[in-house]
Amino acid sequence: MIVWWSSSTAMLRRICCFSTTATATASSSPTNLSSLNPASKKKRLVFMGSPQVSVLVLDALFGASSSPDSLFEVAAIVTQPPSSRDRGRKVMPSAVAQHALDKGFPSDLIFTPVKAGEESFLSNFKSLEPELCITAAYGNILPSRFLKIPSMGTVNIHPSLLPLYRGAAPVQRALQDGVKETGVSVAFTVRQLDAGPVIACERVEIDDQIKAPELLELLFIKGSELLIRELPSIFDGSARAKAEAQDESKATLASKINPEESWLSFDQDANSLHNKVRAFAGWPGTRARVMIIDTDKGQSKTTELKIITTRLYAGTRPQDVEADHVLFMKGSLVFPCGGNTALEVLEVQLPGKKVVNAAAFWNGLRGQNVKVV
């Protein structure tokens, strides 16, 4: 059972939403944590996270807590409520909740409040007597009343070199800006967004082809390792003394991505468009409107094309080709861009179709021409 918190009532409801097999796993799995000892001297740690990348951190905590000399136990998990995530609109638990259940974590210790400031949630959360909270892409604002509950505070894994790229989309905005270096920070959580003292950080150099999902995973892997190394200092209090305040004059904001930003405008230079494709990979993706022209029939139609993979074009466009026409050269679609630059598109997707490489798309045109709109 996953604990569901109703926003319309203060009552705690438990609703069975997994199979008998999962229940059996919970009672027999070697990673089963249902026998947590209330009298244990281990620190009571609560993990907060929701998407798949958060699972990387949760697994690291599970592994560290199972060590014979571990200083802590995972006392509870807080995650986003179940939601519809597929075409069938089937309501599914978050990736973190599902993974915890699969590992045999007690279902009544998985909390899914709609908002972390709900009275019923805060009351029951306080009764857990948590000493430390760890957040990793939880996806919910933590109010002051929540932050006062854990006696050792709340620590966040943030995929940027704070104070750079505070906010909802640090990885995407960094890639969109074309940075060559980014990183991950472990910092105390304060009421102001991602502004708490930084305990430790690690820098990561990146190439110009990595996409947001891959970079996000890499940073959370490194963030998990960094967190595990720093936990002893957090528990003994020395992390508070060594944590460095952020330089507010250098702070930048990584604002939430709006799906309407996904459209590509080819009057921009190719490098900006390439960075946007990498940044928005996964979600919301990048889209372009192109015109497909059948010269034999004298017909044309505008269609939406999802741009999946790109790289900068280093060649020279033939002089006898119209400026707005898309070419097919050496296995790539070459799109004309602003500033006399061009973008190679390696993979695309038509509405309702599968992702295909540029050659397959071009062959499907059967001699028709394409130009940017």
Side-chain angles (χ1 to χ4, degrees), residues 313 315-330 334-336 342:
Y313 179 65
T316 302
R317 281 175 57 89
Q319 296 298 313
D320 58 347
V321 177
E322 292 186 43
D324 58 356
H325 273 55
V326 176
L327 305 179
F328 180 71
M329 302 176 67
K330 298 181 180 180
V334 180
F335 280 69

Side-chain angles (χ1 to χ4, degrees), residues 198-216:
V198 177
I199 301 168
C201 66
E202 183 170 340
R203 296 178 179 274
V204 176
E205 291 185 1
I206 56 176
D207 60 36
D208 62 0
Q209 288 300 125
I210 193 168
K211 297 179 181 179
E214 292 82 10
L215 180 55
L216 192 64

Side-chain angles (χ1 to χ4, degrees), residues 178-199:
V179 302
K180 302 300 182 184
E181 181 186 69
T182 184
V184 61
S185 303
V186 174
F188 285 107
T189 300
V190 296
R191 189 67 183 91
Q192 185 182 348
L193 183 65
D194 299 324
V198 177
I199 301 168

Side-chain angles (χ1 to χ4, degrees), residues 136 333 342-343 370:
L333 298 168
L343 183 69
V370 181

Side-chain angles (χ1 to χ4, degrees), residues 46 78 120-130 133 146 149-150:
V46 173
V78 183
S120 56
F121 168 67
L122 289 175
S123 175
N124 285 277
F125 179 68
K126 188 174 183 178
S127 69
L128 290 170
E129 298 182 349
C133 280
F146 174 94
I149 293 175

Side-chain angles (χ1 to χ4, degrees), residues 32-44 72-75 106 109 128 131:
N32 180 23
L33 302 176
S34 60
S35 58
L36 294 174
N37 180 6
S40 172
K41 294 182 180 180
K42 291 186 176 183
K43 306 296 184 183
R44 295 176 60 78
F72 71 96
E73 60 188 11
V74 180
L109 293 177
L128 290 170
E131 292 166 273

